[in-house]
Amino acid sequence: EKQKSLTPSALLLSLQAAIMEKRKKLAYQLAEAACQSSITIVELRSSVQALKRLGDGPRAHTLLLKTHYQKLQSNMQSLRPSGSLEGVAYTAALSQLVFSTIAQAASDSLAIFNEEPAYVSELVTWAVKQTENFALLVKRHVLDLPAASGGLRPVAESVHICFGHCSLLEARGLALSPVLMKIFRPCVERALNANLKRIEQSTAALAAADDWSLNYPPVGSRAFGTTSIGTALSSQPRLSCSAHKFNSMVQVIFWCICVQCSSLFLVH
């Protein structure tokens, strides 16, 4: 009876209000569903797409990133640095988890929202934040202690693993290596300096204890044949014990810098 008494314009307004209320309720239900910890990636995409079609794109995109973040945090709970999962092993597991999550979020964002600037900007900001949190976690639990004591090898290996996973995202337009570089470089430099200082002290102690007698190969040695080069080399004195140990320590530093973390020292 009430609707019959309404004018056409008033009836239209009433209908629009009812539709808006239903849309609002549906959007709320979709958002609630997307926040459930048990939601699958397929279900998440469907909920976000439906929310976007309802006209709430910004909320849908924020919800997408929030849900990926919540799943990341939940999965990280099982990756505690203890027992067999320490040092380089912990770094590898955590790095794989974090950067695969960022890759999945980027893939979902692109599939649903294309490359709209506002959404791309939000994705990049979110990815940078996750990378910073990850790098600080690795720094605290893995890098700080060996860096202070001159443990260059575990520091270099961990950094190398992180940059390896991070570089896979560059094809998606996410250049996150500068974020890692900003946080990791001081640790690598500290480990390198501590290692050099330890080598200096160790070499001094070894040199002081060495008898420094120059040992030559036996006369007539044919280790290198009868060539002039072989003759010249066979006449050279053999390295002392301290020199051998010094050479071994220098090779470790050379390997760490050139093979594992050279990207930290490149000029960008």
Side-chain angles (χ1 to χ4, degrees):
E1 292 294 329
K2 183 178 179 180
Q3 288 185 343
K4 290 181 180 179
S5 64
L6 294 176
T7 63
S9 60
L11 184 60
L12 179 60
L13 290 174
S14 177
L15 182 60
Q16 288 177 334
I19 292 175
M20 290 298 296
E21 184 63 27
K22 291 292 185 180
R23 288 170 65 95
K24 183 178 179 180
K25 184 177 180 180
L26 179 57
Y28 175 80
Q29 291 174 338
L30 288 170
E32 284 290 302
C35 290
Q36 298 299 314
S37 59
S38 59
I39 192 172
T40 66
I41 293 299
V42 175
E43 291 170 337
L44 174 62
R45 285 179 178 174
S46 297
S47 297
V48 170
Q49 285 174 330
L51 191 57
K52 180 174 180 285
R53 284 197 295 269
L54 288 174
D56 202 349
R59 183 184 182 189
H61 192 260
T62 299
L63 185 62
L64 174 70
L65 298 181
K66 179 182 178 181
T67 304
H68 276 296
Y69 170 77
Q70 291 173 338
K71 284 185 171 293
L72 174 61
Q73 292 300 303
S74 177
N75 291 330
M76 286 173 62
Q77 295 302 314
S78 61
L79 293 178
R80 297 290 185 181
S82 61
S84 60
L85 198 63
E86 292 184 333
V88 176
Y90 171 71
T91 300
L94 186 63
S95 180
Q96 169 68 28
L97 174 60
V98 169
F99 288 113
S100 64
T101 300
I102 294 176
Q104 183 65 63
S107 178
D108 291 343
S109 176
L110 181 62
I112 300 172
F113 300 91
N114 298 316
E115 295 184 358
E116 296 183 43
Y119 300 131
V120 171
S121 177
E122 185 180 24
L123 172 65
V124 171
T125 300
W126 179 85
V128 167
K129 183 63 178 178
Q130 305 317 309
T131 304
E132 285 179 344
N133 292 340
F134 157 74
L136 290 172
L137 199 61
V138 171
K139 176 181 178 295
R140 182 167 67 251
H141 290 296
V142 180
L143 303 184
D144 279 343
L145 185 59
S149 60
L152 184 59
R153 183 182 289 271
V155 171
E157 289 179 350
S158 294
V159 168
H160 181 68
I161 289 170
C162 295
F163 272 93
H165 287 143
C166 181
S167 64
L168 297 177
L169 294 174
E170 292 184 0
R172 302 174 184 268
L174 290 173
L176 300 172
S177 57
V179 180
L180 295 182
M181 189 175 301
K182 179 181 178 181
I183 296 173
F184 287 164
R185 183 166 182 167
C187 293
V188 175
E189 291 178 341
R190 188 160 64 250
L192 179 60
N193 291 333
N195 210 57
L196 290 173
K197 184 176 181 180
R198 186 179 64 185
I199 288 177
E200 181 181 0
Q201 295 171 343
S202 298
T203 304
L206 288 169
D210 207 330
D211 59 13
W212 289 98
S213 59
L214 299 180
N215 297 319
Y216 291 82
V219 177
S221 171
R222 291 294 182 267
F224 293 92
T226 58
T227 64
S228 58
I229 295 178
T231 303
L233 289 174
S234 65
S235 66
Q236 297 297 316
R238 293 174 177 172
L239 292 176
S240 64
C241 178
S242 60
H244 276 297
K245 291 182 178 179
F246 173 76
N247 185 51
S248 177
M249 289 184 286
V250 170
Q251 286 178 349
V252 171
I253 292 182
F254 181 80
W255 176 83
C256 288
I257 294 178
C258 293
V259 178
Q260 298 290 355
C261 55
S262 58
S263 59
L264 281 169
F265 297 95
L266 295 176
V267 177
H268 289 265

